[in-house]
Amino acid sequence: MSKPGWESSFPTRKFLPENFETLGTLAHLITQLTLNGRPVREGETECALLQSFRILEPAGISQRWLPVAGNAQIHALEISGSAPEWVLLPGLGNPSSSWGAVLKSLRGENAALALDFLGFGLSHSEHVVPDYTAQVRAIREAIDTAAKPPLVLVGSSAGSLVAAEIARQMPDKVAALVITGFGLVEDPPAWRAMLTRLSGSPESFLKAAYYRPPRLTEAVLDLFQDVMSRPAYNAFLEGPGIEAMSSAFDHLRIPTLFIAGREDGIISAEAVNAAAARVPGARVEWLARCGHFPAAEQPEELVYYVRRFLATLQ
């Protein structure tokens, strides 16, 4: 963190929720911001995120830190509302604010809890490289502490792996499971190799992930490289995490909805349909003009389809 009081030199008008919802909007903000004529330094981006969350508070979106095992803390955004409570798990490397538009759509109706994974956003862990198993354990502890069943678990991208596993472990507490931007990865090593190749070209990765990819500015490149180089990112996609991909949707007996972007270049339509075929009664909804992250590119449509699905369960 930088010295106390640095936040006052940031233009408050820039701290709008929409500036912190996607990689592109956050990077654009960082590009614009300067402190005493110099670029924002490492660590100050985290302060900017913290300040942005505070700006959300008047809209009824608050933040909290949830203690979990290993002297770790999970950072969360939450809104109050009625049951069922939505628990939102971001894509790997994305902060809880990536659910910002969804939280705004839920405001005044359903309670919701959006969580940062260990090693990302504002969550903190003394474990330097939390792997998939550690992430599942920590997220489940956070849910047990802060969320009131019945729950609607919503996962984005690789966060869907954690959502599916928690739904399998807590069937008595989960009313519905929603998978966005993910499917059945039948050959995880090959998929991981594909992701590694894409990651070697940030421009190619962004084109594959977004229907409208952010422009590859220096700030976007810095953010991209920061995420890809984090120990928690690579640890998640190795060992238990890569092994979980081929069986993520086995033995699920929770009402499940898949929401997928038609322009997703990370997870194929075949993978989405194959995953849905493994879950009895699962439904699939497709979003036009949408890539790998429906919560960022089509948030209102995502909420609409989830609400429609939940109505069929009553």
Side-chain angles (χ1 to χ4, degrees), residues 63-132:
Q63 61 178 330
R64 63 190 294 192
W65 278 262
L66 306 169
V68 295
N71 294 320
Q73 289 187 320
I74 293 287
H75 174 263
L77 294 177
E78 63 180 354
I79 56 173
S80 59
S82 60
E85 181 166 358
W86 294 35
V87 176
L88 311 172
L89 303 183
L92 191 62
N94 287 337
S96 54
S97 58
S98 63
W99 292 104
V102 171
L103 289 170
K104 287 187 287 184
S105 294
L106 294 174
R107 191 176 45 195
E109 297 188 48
N110 290 96
L113 186 73
L115 303 171
D116 283 334
F117 283 115
L118 292 176
F120 301 103
L122 297 180
S123 290
H124 300 282
S125 174
E126 292 187 2
H127 194 309
V128 178
V129 284
D131 62 5
Y132 166 77

Side-chain angles (χ1 to χ4, degrees), residues 272-304:
V272 174
N273 288 325
R278 294 242 179 142
V279 184
R283 293 179 55 178
V284 181
E285 299 287 356
W286 298 94
L287 300 181
R289 298 179 298 281
C290 184
H292 188 60
F293 298 110
E297 295 195 286
Q298 299 283 3
E300 293 183 0
E301 289 81 356
L302 185 153
V303 171
Y304 167 78

Side-chain angles (χ1 to χ4, degrees), residues 165-236:
E165 179 57 28
I166 289 176
R168 189 165 24 244
Q169 294 180 10
M170 305 167 61
D172 56 326
K173 295 183 178 181
V174 178
L177 172 65
V178 181
I179 303 296
T180 74
F182 210 71
L184 179 63
V185 180
E186 293 188 331
D187 188 347
W191 182 84
R192 179 71 170 103
M194 177 274 295
L195 191 65
T196 299
R197 287 194 300 273
L198 275 180
S199 301
S201 171
E203 184 174 11
S204 297
F205 182 92
L206 294 174
K207 285 182 177 179
Y210 291 90
Y211 173 69
R212 295 184 181 87
R215 188 167 60 88
L216 190 60
T217 63
E218 184 177 351
V220 171
L221 182 60
D222 287 345
L223 281 174
F224 180 86
Q225 292 175 339
D226 173 66
V227 168
M228 297 300 176
S229 64
R230 290 195 177 204
Y233 182 89
N234 293 300
F236 187 98

